[in-house]
Amino acid sequence: YSLAECYYEGIGVKQDYETAAKYYRDAADLQHDVAMYKLGLCYYEGIGVGKSVAYALECFNKASALNNGDAQFFLGDCYYNGIDVEQDYSKAVDLFKKSSALGNAKAKNSLGYCYENGHGVDRNFTMAFDLYLKGASLGDAKAQYNVAQYYYNGVVVKKDDVNAVKWLIKSAAQDNIDAQYRLAFCYYYGIGIEPNYVLAASLYKKVAELGNADAQCTIGNCYQMGKGVEQNSFRCKVDIFVGSLLNTVLPYWGKTF
């Protein structure tokens, strides 16, 4: 397995995905759960081997049976979204629970989302928040953003803008686009933190470049009023036009507070 990792990452040897896949297979044959999972990823993405979703899922199922939390999460995500398998919330929840019990932060967030929306389990916001918080504490960016939402809206917990911003900062630092947009909003209006137009404009720009129509329009307004950026009426018109166009042809789908 270690040799496979070296070839996969190019550590001490020339990067070679085919050789890496071969060693992953050798280790998987010896019931190495992580190698089994990594081999599944190779087949799922067609890295170093011919792409085969069917064989990849077989690898993930075997790794899951060996209590590999990453494989359990991957399979759970497939069942939740109906990717390459028939959608089944109950199976997804079962796999998320197993993965979560092994400390997988992403699984904790996904399981929290199931409880929040009543998918495969009875709706329970308290349980959802508890899982989000655990996932957030383990560093999952999506969970951190979800915790911020709960504090901002006062769902289950007392409304706390300062705590909301604390978690937004952590999530935004991991390039979560939703968190970056909301953090920009907080900096702009001084919600839970001192107003800072420069930081707000910087974040709005960053998110706008990733195709967020709302951020595109907002940075246009910043240029119009000279808030956080040098006043520029031309840039204002361009950004607002592009943002309006994006709203027409590609509505922004991110969560809002």
Side-chain angles (χ1 to χ4, degrees):
Y1 169 74
S2 295
L3 194 54
E5 289 284 272
C6 289
Y7 276 105
Y8 193 91
E9 300 293 341
I11 300 172
V13 293
K14 183 179 179 180
Q15 191 173 50
D16 187 333
Y17 292 133
E18 288 186 17
T19 302
K22 174 187 177 299
Y23 283 117
Y24 280 140
R25 187 180 296 105
D26 289 344
D29 288 341
L30 296 174
Q31 302 300 296
H32 191 291
D33 65 290
V34 181
M36 193 90 72
Y37 168 67
K38 293 288 184 70
L39 181 62
L41 289 178
C42 288
Y43 274 99
Y44 195 82
E45 300 291 344
I47 299 174
V49 293
K51 184 171 182 176
S52 173
V53 173
Y55 188 71
L57 291 175
E58 183 181 329
C59 290
F60 293 142
N61 274 296
K62 287 180 179 178
S64 176
L66 293 171
N67 282 326
N68 182 279
D70 290 330
Q72 290 165 343
F73 169 73
F74 194 100
L75 280 175
D77 197 53
C78 288
Y79 278 111
Y80 184 88
N81 294 292
I83 300 173
D84 302 314
V85 295
E86 186 176 346
Q87 190 175 49
D88 189 325
Y89 288 146
S90 294
K91 284 186 178 180
V93 166
D94 181 57
L95 286 160
F96 287 150
K97 283 182 177 179
K98 290 178 178 178
S99 181
S100 177
L102 291 171
N104 188 294
K106 291 181 179 179
K108 291 181 188 297
N109 178 67
S110 293
L111 185 57
Y113 191 79
C114 290
Y115 274 106
E116 180 179 311
N117 293 280
H119 291 166
V121 289
D122 291 334
R123 177 175 271 187
N124 187 323
F125 290 110
T126 300
M127 185 71 96
F129 176 74
D130 181 60
L131 285 160
Y132 286 150
L133 188 58
K134 288 177 179 177
S137 298
L138 289 172
D140 184 74
K142 289 182 179 180
Q144 290 167 345
Y145 175 70
N146 287 330
V147 168
Q149 283 188 299
Y150 272 60
Y151 276 119
Y152 188 93
N153 290 312
V155 178
V156 177
V157 292
K158 183 180 179 181
K159 180 175 171 59
D160 186 336
D161 292 340
V162 173
N163 244 329
V165 168
K166 181 188 82 170
W167 288 107
L168 285 176
I169 290 173
K170 291 177 183 290
S171 182
Q174 297 190 69
D175 292 328
N176 183 291
I177 185 173
D178 294 330
Q180 290 171 340
Y181 178 76
R182 295 303 161 198
L183 183 58
F185 182 86
C186 291
Y187 274 124
Y188 192 90
Y189 291 102
I191 298 172
I193 199 165
E194 284 294 312
N196 189 320
Y197 291 135
V198 173
L199 286 177
S202 175
L203 285 164
Y204 279 135
K205 276 185 184 179
K206 189 173 184 178
V207 177
E209 288 170 358
L210 295 172
N212 183 312
D214 293 336
Q216 192 81 53
C217 290
T218 305
I219 193 62
N221 289 329
C222 289
Y223 277 113
Q224 182 182 35
M225 296 180 286
K227 288 189 173 182
V229 291
E230 186 176 346
Q231 194 169 26
N232 187 323
S233 59
F234 176 73
R235 277 298 305 269
C236 162
K237 292 176 182 178
V238 170
D239 285 318
I240 290 177
F241 172 75
V242 172
S244 299
L245 186 63
L246 285 170
N247 262 325
T248 302
V249 300
L250 186 65
Y252 179 59
W253 52 265
K255 292 182 181 178
T256 58
F257 285 123

